[in-house]
Structure formats: structure tokens, C-alpha cells
Amino acid sequence: MRFLNEPTTDLTYSDLFLVPSRSDVTSRLDVDLAADDGTGSAIPLVAANMTAVTGKRMAETMARRGGLGVLPQDVPLDVIRDVTAWIKTRHPILETPVSLAPTDTVIDALHLMGKRPHGAVVVADASGAVTGVVRAADCDGQDRFASLAAVVRHQPLVLDAATLDGGSEAALRRAFDAMDAAGTDYAPVQQDGVLVGVLTRKGALRSTLYSPSLDGDGKLKVAAAVGINGDVAGRAAELLAAGVNVLVLDTAHGHQQKMFDALAAVKSLSPGVPVVAGNVVTADATRELIRAGADIVKVGVGPGAMCTTRMMTAVGRPQFSAVLECSAAARDAGGRVWADGGVRYPRDVALALAAGASQVMIGSWFAGTHESPGDLQLDAGGRQYKESFGMASARAVQNRNQREGAFEKDRKALFEEGISTSRMYVDAARPGVEDLLDIITAGLRSSMSYAGAADLAAFRERAVAGIQSAAGYEEGRPVPQSW
């Protein structure tokens, strides 16, 4: 990319704007968002390895829409194995249904409806055949311990998996039209009379816009993080055996000897999957990690919404400049970088990719969605939220060290560099991570078309950025009400 006015200081995303260039791109749908870093991602977005962000539902949904979810390093290996196996059995097009038996109760259904943004529970009999669908409105005024058989409504439409033709656009259009004609936005899907998934109107549309991120066996991809302490090689080997498709060596300070030792241990396994290492903010650190075996380097120290590192230690760097410098060094060395942290709007994602990142990691922004692992809670005003917390916070440190003695746990808890509890409100208009993927990729597609870029490589070459004042940034913000 080039600058309209050369910077004299390090920059954050808010310091910059992109200007339009002559373009031959006639439609936003003509641009290719695929990453070029060996992960095979069809969209350049990664759900961060934060306990409050990425679990099996997040990883499944991200992969179905072409991205990647990174399971956190604190998750026990047996859980990682189970979660990875579960993700590998998910359908690349159909959403995983929330399913209960007719003998289950209304309260069981209400507890599960918040797990998915479609807000419905499929009722299926012992043979797996669909008998109906229950929604929240069906439960109003009902005894909470009444059986679902007493409240279930006949589902006006049940689709047959064979008619979806492997997810072709024509078949998805027919399924959409069938739901539209039936007056429903949700349809269970059966195969040989057994429930195998659900399709929504939006899901049918999205499957014509997104390509799933699949491994060589046609299964959804998933990544997992590894810390740099303990038996790094042993844990990495277990993750690879479980079927993890990307390994992420993760620590707050990636430019240290333990990271190089960890990289050596992992590379000695000949992992056969991309290896990511971080976090760093300088070209020297990036080059050293790539020379040590990293395929991708995570860039970002201190920009995260849950991170207090800069205020506690003064360590870090404005994120745009860090990504710009590190990505140039990485590409010269044959590697790539992921921009990790600091994105709060779709514009920030576009700027990170224009600066040279192959993908952008998103944490707290995704925490306030139905797919994140936390339970939905209500504040005093009735607004739904989920709790988020930083991975260097006292809460995370306590979880990470739960197998240690009380003395060691309490001593390590003193070293807190993150927020332990923060409310991430669920946007009623965009409650699911897919809703956020829609607005992010829509913004990115438009950014690329303004730059005349048909793919991310051209976007890096053609993007023109200018430096703006705080007033310039404020001018670009929409006005929600009259002044």
C-alpha cells in the first residue's frame, strides 16, 4: 500500500482512512477473500483462542463460513479431542440442530434456545424423525414442566437432504423459495427419515456467498493453541493426532527463548500443518520466528479490548504500524502474519489486510454472540450479554493453573494484565457470529472494490491510505439522531 501523506509516528487503525482508486471491479461479489497463508481459509477471519470466545460452536460456525476458530490452550486434551471429533462430524452446509425428544420439557427447550441464533428446538422421536419445532413463543404461558409433545407445533416444512444437491446454488435457491412459500424462516432437514441438520433462509443465502473451510477429507477445519511451557511437543502431537488443522503457539511475549524452543519442539514432529507463533510487534522478531520455523506470525501486543498490558507495562505498539512492518518482513522471509487485536469495526479489518496481514484475529467482538461459549445473562434492564475476559487476567490465570497447589495458584493470580470480567452485549439485530461475518465481509468487499482489487494480493498493492485527525475520524461516524 502507499500513503497520501507519509506518517511520522506509529499509527492505529483509527488514525487512517482509505481513498478510492480507479476500479474495474464491477461487483462486490466478484472479489476473492481467500487467505494466502496455507490455511485454506476462504475468508481472512480467525476467532481468537480466548476461553470466552472460541469453543465448539464458534469453531464449527467459523469453518462453515470459510474462516477458522482457534481452541484455547487452557482446554484439557481430552476435551480438545472430543470437540475436534465433534466439529469433524458437522455438516459443511446444514446447521447443527438443537434437538429434544417429545418427552423432554418446556424448561429444557428454553435452556437450549439461546445456544443458537435461530432460536428454535427441533422435536424428534426415538427414530430421529422430526415431529415438530418449538420456539419461544410456543412456550409462553405454558407450564415449564409440561412435555414438548403438549406444546409442539407442526412444522410446515421439512426438507429432504437429497434435494439440496450437495449445496449447489440452484438447490439452495429452491430451498429458500420453499421456506418463503411455507411462511417459515427455518426448516429441519432429514436424510432417510432422520434429522441431520437445519437450514434457515439466511443460511441458504449465506451458503451461496461463503465456501466452507474443509480439510482433505471434506471435514470442517479447526485450529488449536499450544502454550510454550511444559511438554509442548507432547501436547502438539496429541492435537495433531486429534485432527487439528492449524497449530498456534501462543504467548503474550513471542520474542523470547521459550518460544524458539517451543517452535523447535513442534517442528521436530514434522507437523504437516501451518504453525503460527506469536505475539510480536517488530520486523526483527517476525524474521526470527519465521527462520525458527513459524509459517505465520501473530502480530499485536496490547491492542485487545480485554488487555491492560500497555497501561500496566507501557509495552506494545500501535497496531496498524506493527502489522504494516511485520507483514513486510514476513513476506520477504516467505511467511505471513495474522493481525491479532484492536479491530472494532469492519474498517479496521480492511486496514489490517491492506497493511499486509493474511488474516485478522477477532476476540471480544465475537464474545457477545450466541456461538461463544459463555451463558447468556440478563442485566438489570433485561439486555442479554455474555461475560468476556482477557487471557492474561486473574480469571484466566486461575483457570490455567487449576492443577497447581493453592500457594502457586494464588501467587500467579497476582500477575494480572487483563480484564477479568467485562460484559459483551448481544446485539438483538446481529445476535450470531454469522451476522458479524456478514457485515465484516460486506465492508471488506466494498473496500476492495473501491481500491480496484479483485483479491487480497491486489488489495495490498492498490490500497492508498491517508492519515487523519480525530475530527476526521469523527466525521466518518454515522449520526444516529438529528443534531
Side-chain angles (χ1 to χ4, degrees), residues 224-299:
V226 185
I228 62 172
N229 296 309
D231 183 10
V232 176
R235 184 173 178 89
E238 291 277 4
L239 294 176
L240 292 169
V244 166
N245 304 106
V246 179
L247 289 177
V248 179
L249 293 176
D250 185 62
T251 187
H253 179 27
H255 197 194
Q256 59 164 299
Q257 187 57 46
K258 276 190 174 182
M259 174 59 78
F260 295 111
D261 295 340
L263 269 171
V266 170
K267 297 301 284 189
S268 71
L269 301 173
S270 299
V273 301
V275 176
V276 186
N279 281 33
V280 302
V281 291
T282 65
D284 286 345
T286 301
R287 281 189 288 264
E288 287 189 49
L289 289 178
I290 292 173
R291 283 198 297 266
D295 302 294
I296 301 163
V297 174
K298 283 206 300 141
V299 175

Side-chain angles (χ1 to χ4, degrees), residues 343-362:
V343 292
R344 292 164 174 80
Y345 300 98
R347 69 181 304 279
D348 303 333
V349 175
L351 283 163
L353 294 166
S358 66
Q359 300 202 57
V360 180
M361 298 192 81
I362 298 176

Side-chain angles (χ1 to χ4, degrees), residues 399-471:
N399 291 339
R400 194 170 302 138
N401 301 314
Q402 58 184 321
R403 295 179 183 84
E404 297 185 2
F407 181 87
E408 288 299 327
K409 283 198 299 184
D410 286 356
R411 183 163 64 172
K412 287 183 178 180
L414 297 175
F415 295 93
E416 178 180 2
E417 285 185 18
I419 296 173
S420 286
T421 301
S422 181
R423 293 183 179 184
M424 294 294 136
Y425 282 94
V426 177
D427 184 345
R430 300 185 182 95
V433 72
E434 290 173 301
D435 298 311
L436 298 183
L437 294 180
D438 289 344
I439 64 168
I440 293 169
T441 55
L444 176 58
R445 288 178 181 276
S446 288
S447 292
M448 293 170 67
S449 65
Y450 273 118
D455 55 31
L456 292 177
F459 190 39
R460 290 190 296 273
E461 289 295 321
R462 294 181 59 86
V464 180
I467 302 168
Q468 64 187 349
S469 66

Side-chain angles (χ1 to χ4, degrees), residues 63-287:
R64 182 175 293 120
R65 297 309 175 205
L68 192 64
V70 186
L71 300 173
Q73 67 186 62
D74 299 342
V75 180
L77 278 171
D78 58 334
V79 176
I80 288 279
R81 282 190 288 267
D82 290 344
V83 168
T84 301
W86 184 87
I87 291 169
K88 296 296 181 182
T89 62
R90 299 304 93 189
H91 198 280
I93 302 238
L94 302 178
E95 297 178 43
T96 299
V98 176
S99 177
L100 289 173
T103 53
D104 288 317
T105 64
V106 169
I107 193 68
D108 294 327
L110 290 173
H111 283 157
L112 290 175
M113 284 180 187
K115 301 296 184 182
R116 296 282 173 178
H118 45 63
V121 171
V122 180
V123 182
D125 63 22
S127 69
V130 175
T131 62
V133 170
V134 173
R135 301 205 184 220
D138 302 325
C139 301
D140 289 344
Q142 302 289 341
D143 186 298
R144 291 299 187 254
F145 296 99
S147 70
L148 294 181
V151 302
V152 67
R153 294 187 179 181
H154 174 67
Q155 171 66 15
L157 178 68
V158 177
L159 297 172
D160 190 319
T163 65
L164 295 178
D165 189 29
S168 70
E169 183 167 341
L172 289 165
R173 183 184 291 271
R174 289 193 297 270
F176 178 93
D177 290 341
M179 283 185 274
D180 188 55
T184 183
D185 60 356
Y186 176 95
V189 181
Q190 293 187 150
Q191 183 171 342
D192 300 324
V194 176
L195 176 68
V196 292
V198 298
L199 188 67
T200 64
R201 283 162 57 104
K202 279 189 176 180
L205 294 173
R206 285 168 175 146
S207 291
T208 66
L209 297 172
Y210 299 95
S211 299
S213 181
L214 304 176
D215 62 21
D217 297 321
K219 308 296 184 183
L220 294 177
K221 286 188 174 183
V222 62
V226 185
I228 62 172
N229 296 309
D231 183 10
V232 176
R235 184 173 178 89
E238 291 277 4
L239 294 176
L240 292 169
V244 166
N245 304 106
V246 179
L247 289 177
V248 179
L249 293 176
D250 185 62
T251 187
H253 179 27
H255 197 194
Q256 59 164 299
Q257 187 57 46
K258 276 190 174 182
M259 174 59 78
F260 295 111
D261 295 340
L263 269 171
V266 170
K267 297 301 284 189
S268 71
L269 301 173
S270 299
V273 301
V275 176
V276 186
N279 281 33
V280 302
V281 291
T282 65
D284 286 345
T286 301
R287 281 189 288 264

Side-chain angles (χ1 to χ4, degrees), residues 3 5-16 317-324 465-468:
F3 288 95
N5 39 355
E6 285 299 321
T8 58
T9 186
D10 276 6
L11 304 169
T12 70
Y13 296 132
S14 299
D15 292 323
L16 293 141
R317 188 176 185 184
Q319 183 70 345
F320 177 85
S321 292
V323 172
L324 185 67
I467 302 168
Q468 64 187 349

